[in-house]
Amino acid sequence: MQTVSVFLHTTNQHYIERFCHILQSMQEKIDTSPVRIECRVEENESHTQFRFVSWSREEYTCETLEYMASFVALLVTEWTVQVMEVELLRTFLKRKERGALIHKFDEIYPYIQFVFHELDEVRENMNRSTRKAAIYEQVLQYMEDEPHLYLEGFVKFRLKNYRILLDKAFEMGLQQYQQDKEYQEFVELLRFFVSKQEHRYPLVHVVLRETQEFIMYDQDDAKIDLSQLDTILGFRPDRQEDYIMSALIALAPEKIVIHGVEDSNVLMQTMRAVFGDRVLACVSCAHCLTTPGNLDFQFSSHYNT
């Protein structure tokens, strides 16, 4: 018979309820045969004890001895990720941002989750520990010498590798959130500016080239001379996407047709965000069909970070 105990502070009923829920779910989904694992719950004034007891139908082997530890380690891992992770991230946000963005946590959290997904995928491809694996491995290592695990303290003070990954994901997610907010504010400003403009051209065609160059034509298919645009702007943007957007804002067309670019393209999304339904996509006219390779034209830009 093997015994392992996990303790949670009795005062935090939410933690206890979530632990019980995850435990029940795991007992329904995981078959530990030939080892039988039972959990006995005992309470006192300070802690709720989850006492795990295992029996083997046969003589214990190296493999069956690992069943108990693996089951408890998996349970602790799932509870940490599902329950404590959010609390830790809230703490990070409150400490690092001095509470200025704490009321925005629900907006920021999806960005962090996306980063977690990306980081876990990268680390898995590199045969390195994902965040769940980092927790699982450290719990197993701890239980080799200690059958009593005080869960809140263990997560806060023992899971160093996990907290490093958590902090990295937090910083990256927060940065992406802030960049996205800046992008949205910038687009709103451009949209407002464009809405107040008087139209100079009824229609402008934007034709992208395979070399990441572009040509603009008016409603009569006459090429628009952009040589004066640099003088108007006072500078020439380095990125072609920036240059196209600047040109369109200066030309102030009533309608825009962009050729050889599908709706999922980054430039197309940015143009729709600024100009709305004034933007139309075309992939099958003479301009499109005589420009080989332009259907693969892609931009990398801060406009859609």
Side-chain angles (χ1 to χ4, degrees):
M1 185 176 71
Q2 287 183 292
T3 302
V4 173
S5 292
V6 175
F7 297 86
L8 283 165
H9 286 294
T10 302
T11 54
N12 201 327
Q13 284 300 309
H14 171 67
Y15 286 179
I16 295 170
E17 289 171 5
R18 292 291 295 142
F19 191 87
C20 290
H21 175 76
I22 296 169
L23 170 60
Q24 181 180 357
S25 177
M26 285 183 54
Q27 287 174 327
E28 292 172 355
K29 294 178 180 178
I30 299 177
D31 181 10
T32 59
S33 301
V35 175
R36 183 161 59 95
I37 301 174
E38 291 184 0
C39 180
R40 301 168 183 176
V41 183
E42 301 174 7
E43 292 187 7
N44 57 40
E45 293 183 359
S46 61
H47 288 88
T48 296
Q49 178 183 6
F50 294 86
R51 186 167 176 264
F52 295 89
V53 182
S54 72
W55 293 270
S56 177
R57 297 173 185 171
E58 306 166 359
E59 185 177 350
Y60 275 110
T61 64
C62 290
E63 182 180 353
T64 55
L65 283 170
E66 293 178 355
Y67 276 47
M68 166 72 89
S70 297
F71 182 85
V72 175
L74 184 59
L75 173 60
V76 170
T77 299
E78 288 301 319
W79 182 85
T80 301
V81 170
Q82 293 183 33
V83 181
M84 281 296 285
E85 187 165 276
V86 175
E87 298 301 323
L88 291 170
L89 290 170
R90 285 185 188 275
T91 301
F92 287 174
L93 184 61
K94 187 174 182 179
R95 184 179 71 247
K96 296 187 178 186
E97 296 298 316
R98 298 181 180 176
L101 292 176
I102 193 64
H103 63 290
K104 298 287 187 181
F105 180 80
D106 290 342
E107 294 180 20
I108 299 170
Y109 185 53
Y111 290 86
I112 302 173
Q113 286 183 306
F114 178 78
V115 171
F116 271 139
H117 174 75
E118 295 293 308
L119 286 178
D120 282 350
E121 192 173 79
V122 169
R123 295 180 72 86
E124 192 170 9
N125 290 338
M126 296 173 64
N127 294 319
R128 298 176 66 183
S129 294
T130 63
R131 78 186 197 282
K132 282 191 175 184
I135 300 169
Y136 180 83
E137 291 165 3
Q138 210 153 352
V139 175
L140 280 181
Q141 184 179 7
Y142 178 82
M143 288 192 301
E144 288 179 1
D145 303 312
E146 179 55 64
H148 298 93
L149 192 154
Y150 289 84
L151 197 43
E152 291 109 320
F154 180 83
V155 172
K156 290 179 180 178
F157 303 111
R158 292 272 187 164
L159 293 179
K160 294 181 180 179
N161 293 337
Y162 166 65
R163 289 175 71 88
I164 289 172
L165 294 176
L166 198 67
D167 187 69
K168 183 177 182 179
F170 170 82
E171 293 291 350
M172 294 174 66
L174 180 60
Q175 183 181 32
Q176 290 186 13
Y177 166 79
Q178 291 171 329
Q179 289 176 344
D180 193 49
K181 294 298 287 185
E182 290 173 0
Y183 161 74
Q184 292 174 18
E185 291 171 0
F186 182 66
V187 166
E188 283 295 327
L189 181 63
L190 288 181
R191 186 185 293 126
F192 175 79
F193 178 75
V194 166
S195 70
K196 301 299 181 182
Q197 283 183 308
E198 292 186 8
H199 300 309
R200 295 180 56 200
Y201 285 81
L203 175 64
V204 167
H205 296 272
V206 181
V207 181
L208 302 177
R209 297 301 185 187
E210 190 175 15
T211 56
Q212 294 195 2
E213 296 177 351
F214 68 95
I215 301 174
M216 291 186 177
Y217 299 91
D218 65 14
Q219 65 278 3
D220 299 318
D221 269 348
K223 184 177 178 182
I224 298 174
D225 183 7
L226 298 177
S227 61
Q228 300 300 316
L229 184 61
D230 295 354
T231 304
I232 296 172
L233 294 176
F235 69 98
R236 183 188 180 97
D238 294 331
R239 284 189 294 251
Q240 288 292 74
E241 183 188 5
D242 295 350
Y243 197 35
I244 291 172
M245 292 299 298
S246 299
L248 289 172
I249 291 171
L251 296 173
E254 185 176 0
K255 289 289 183 181
I256 302 166
V257 178
I258 182 166
H259 298 268
V261 173
E262 297 180 350
D263 283 341
S264 60
N265 182 274
V266 172
L267 174 62
M268 195 67 185
Q269 292 173 359
T270 303
M271 290 174 65
R272 287 195 188 281
V274 174
F275 294 97
D277 58 7
R278 291 159 59 182
V279 180
L280 302 173
C282 178
V283 295
S284 59
C285 73
H287 287 307
C288 302
L289 299 178
T290 57
T291 308
N294 62 6
L295 291 179
D296 295 325
F297 189 97
Q298 293 289 331
F299 285 101
S300 176
S301 169
H302 66 281
Y303 277 116
N304 196 30
T305 312

